[in-house]
Amino acid sequence: MAVDDRFMWAALDLARRGRGKTNPNPMVGAVVVRDGQIVGTGYHRAAGELHAEIMALQKAGESAGGAVLYVNLEPCAHQGRTGPCVDAIISAGIRKVVAAMEDPNPLVCGRGFQKLREAGVKVETGVLKEKACRLNEVFIKQITTGRPFVIVKSAVTADGKIATRTGRSRWITGEKARAFVHRLRNNSDAIAVGVDTVLQDDPRLTARLEEGGGKDPQRIVIDSRARLPIDARMINMPSRAATVLATTAAAPPDKVKALQEKGDEVLTVPGREGRVDLAELMVKLGERGVCQLLVEGGGTLNYSLLQAGLIDKVMLFIAPLIVGGRESPTAFDGSGVAGLDEAWHLEDLEIKRYDGDLLLIGYPRSAGPEKYAQEAGSR
């Protein structure tokens, strides 16, 4: 492994420690290296806290003079909640900065590198860029489009069913897979389902971690006519996260009022063919500060999102079960395609195993972080 790769991997590993805590900021890790030895490390722990570069420089102290700084994202050159990192890097006497990628944030986007070079600091970019893009895929999508990064998660049997013909789905996957899903919820800003899922399963949609605690995501119920029951568990339990009804003007005002009185937030979205316009919903969720949206809906919602080109990532658990049945629902119901040449392709596949369950991760063609990074770079 090349020296630069080795230290950049260290920066990426540090950055991952901030997963689920840094939104709307990116995950960033930094490593200060002098004479081939790491003398300082840092990572961005949460929005508003020290940036990774500042933490690493503080730990390095006087050893930062003449050292090399490895960081997975271009250091900032603007004043946010904290001061510009490039000023601290220059003041510390860093002689060279090795970065994985340019920051797609319009407030940065090359300005950090430019300021470093003007101060006589050598800059090298592109080391493990693809890995860095993948790590910050949520940030890249949100900062370049203003919309959330949409992950569709579903659990299916070996024959592709998400429930039996009677609607029973507990539990398709085992304990380890379900524990992973709760961690995924904990790292998400919001979780969305269609109202039919609420009517069928009455889920809580909370993040229950094995070690205890967990940060509940906002719960978004997509429900064009406000059929969400007043006694639904998600609006009758203690949680710091809001339950949001995403509905249309067709919803009965008295039912909307009753839900609001129960503490439900109501988000009125333009309708499209009698349903919530999902593209408009994504715009509104972006305005609410949702960076990562996890969708745990049924086949109808999943297919509608797929048709609209709104899915960035698919996470499909496949359990070693066969239930059969023409009426058993699938993860992507709807009209479907007429020929395989019209099918959506999942790319950049990754497969993980959780006991007997397999997790298939893929990106629908034309989605993924590289797409948004390239769009940002072409502006």
Side-chain angles (χ1 to χ4, degrees), residues 337-356:
V337 299
L340 290 178
D341 58 332
E342 303 174 62
W344 287 267
H345 287 247
L346 294 181
E347 299 181 338
D348 299 329
L349 294 180
E350 183 179 359
I351 299 176
K352 298 182 179 181
R353 185 164 184 164
Y354 293 83
D355 285 341

Side-chain angles (χ1 to χ4, degrees), residues 4 110 172 180 193 226 326:
D4 283 348
I172 287 178
F180 170 84
V193 295
R326 295 187 184 89

Side-chain angles (χ1 to χ4, degrees), residues 32-112:
V32 179
V33 177
R34 183 168 181 172
D35 299 327
Q37 299 296 319
I38 294 176
V39 295
T41 62
Y43 72 97
H44 188 41
R45 297 176 184 271
E49 295 194 15
L50 285 177
H51 284 194
E53 301 94 320
I54 305 301
M55 183 184 295
L57 290 171
Q58 287 181 352
K59 289 184 178 180
E62 293 183 0
S63 297
V68 179
L69 174 69
Y70 290 83
V71 62
N72 60 293
L73 189 70
E74 177 184 4
C76 65
H78 66 288
Q79 178 70 46
R81 297 188 192 181
T82 59
C85 288
V86 292
D87 291 351
I89 293 169
I90 294 167
S91 297
I94 291 290
R95 67 176 178 83
K96 181 179 179 180
V97 171
V98 180
M101 61 177 289
E102 185 178 82
D103 191 336
N105 185 343
L107 294 175
V108 186
C109 204
R111 293 179 178 86

Side-chain angles (χ1 to χ4, degrees), residues 261-279:
E261 290 174 349
K262 288 287 290 186
D264 205 6
E265 293 185 29
V266 176
L267 189 63
T268 302
V269 182
R272 186 181 181 88
E273 298 179 356
R275 299 175 180 269
V276 170
D277 187 319
L278 295 174

Side-chain angles (χ1 to χ4, degrees), residues 17-317:
R17 297 184 186 181
R19 189 180 297 279
K21 304 179 184 71
T22 64
N23 289 348
N25 293 347
M27 290 177 278
V28 182
V31 176
V32 179
V33 177
R34 183 168 181 172
D35 299 327
Q37 299 296 319
I38 294 176
V39 295
T41 62
Y43 72 97
H44 188 41
R45 297 176 184 271
E49 295 194 15
L50 285 177
H51 284 194
E53 301 94 320
I54 305 301
M55 183 184 295
L57 290 171
Q58 287 181 352
K59 289 184 178 180
E62 293 183 0
S63 297
V68 179
L69 174 69
Y70 290 83
V71 62
N72 60 293
L73 189 70
E74 177 184 4
C76 65
H78 66 288
Q79 178 70 46
R81 297 188 192 181
T82 59
C85 288
V86 292
D87 291 351
I89 293 169
I90 294 167
S91 297
I94 291 290
R95 67 176 178 83
K96 181 179 179 180
V97 171
V98 180
M101 61 177 289
E102 185 178 82
D103 191 336
N105 185 343
L107 294 175
V108 186
C109 204
R111 293 179 178 86
F113 292 150
Q114 180 181 352
K115 191 169 184 179
L116 289 170
R117 289 185 175 111
E118 289 173 351
V121 179
K122 294 181 180 179
V123 175
E124 181 180 343
T125 65
V127 177
L128 299 183
K129 179 179 179 179
E130 183 179 344
K131 301 295 183 183
C133 281
R134 189 66 75 204
L135 176 68
N136 272 313
E137 59 191 6
V138 173
F139 169 74
I140 293 171
K141 168 73 180 293
Q142 190 278 331
I143 202 68
T144 56
T145 69
R147 294 181 281 113
F149 186 88
V150 179
I151 302 172
V152 167
K153 189 282 301 178
S154 191
V156 302
T157 60
D159 55 340
K161 309 297 185 180
I162 60 173
T164 67
R165 59 181 174 81
T166 59
R168 296 180 182 177
S169 59
R170 297 182 181 176
W171 296 104
I172 287 178
T173 55
E175 290 184 5
K176 283 192 175 181
R178 297 200 299 273
F180 170 84
V181 171
H182 282 287
R183 292 195 299 273
L184 184 59
R185 290 178 178 180
N186 180 69
N187 294 336
S188 300
D189 301 297
I191 181 171
V193 295
V195 68
D196 287 339
T197 294
V198 180
L199 296 173
Q200 179 70 39
D201 298 333
D202 194 19
R204 287 179 287 175
L205 301 183
T206 53
R208 304 181 293 279
L209 303 183
E210 294 172 299
E211 62 272 21
K215 174 181 66 66
D216 291 344
Q218 297 179 55
R219 294 169 289 275
I220 314 296
V221 180
I222 302 172
D223 180 6
S224 60
R225 296 186 176 274
R227 293 187 292 143
L228 178 65
I230 294 294
D231 60 353
R233 288 200 297 176
M234 67 175 64
I235 55 175
N236 288 279
M237 64 179 187
S239 175
R240 293 183 179 180
T243 297
V244 181
L245 176 72
T247 190
T248 67
D254 55 340
K255 180 64 179 295
V256 169
K257 182 180 179 181
L259 288 168
Q260 288 175 319
E261 290 174 349
K262 288 287 290 186
D264 205 6
E265 293 185 29
V266 176
L267 189 63
T268 302
V269 182
R272 186 181 181 88
E273 298 179 356
R275 299 175 180 269
V276 170
D277 187 319
L278 295 174
E280 288 295 326
L281 174 60
M282 296 307 156
V283 172
K284 289 185 176 293
L285 291 180
E287 292 171 349
R288 287 178 62 92
V290 175
C291 298
Q292 177 168 302
L293 175 66
L294 178 63
V295 179
E296 292 192 35
T300 300
L301 175 58
N302 291 348
Y303 189 75
S304 296
L305 288 166
L306 188 64
Q307 275 191 312
L310 297 173
I311 299 177
D312 295 295
K313 188 175 186 176
V314 173
M315 305 185 77
L316 195 64
F317 276 103

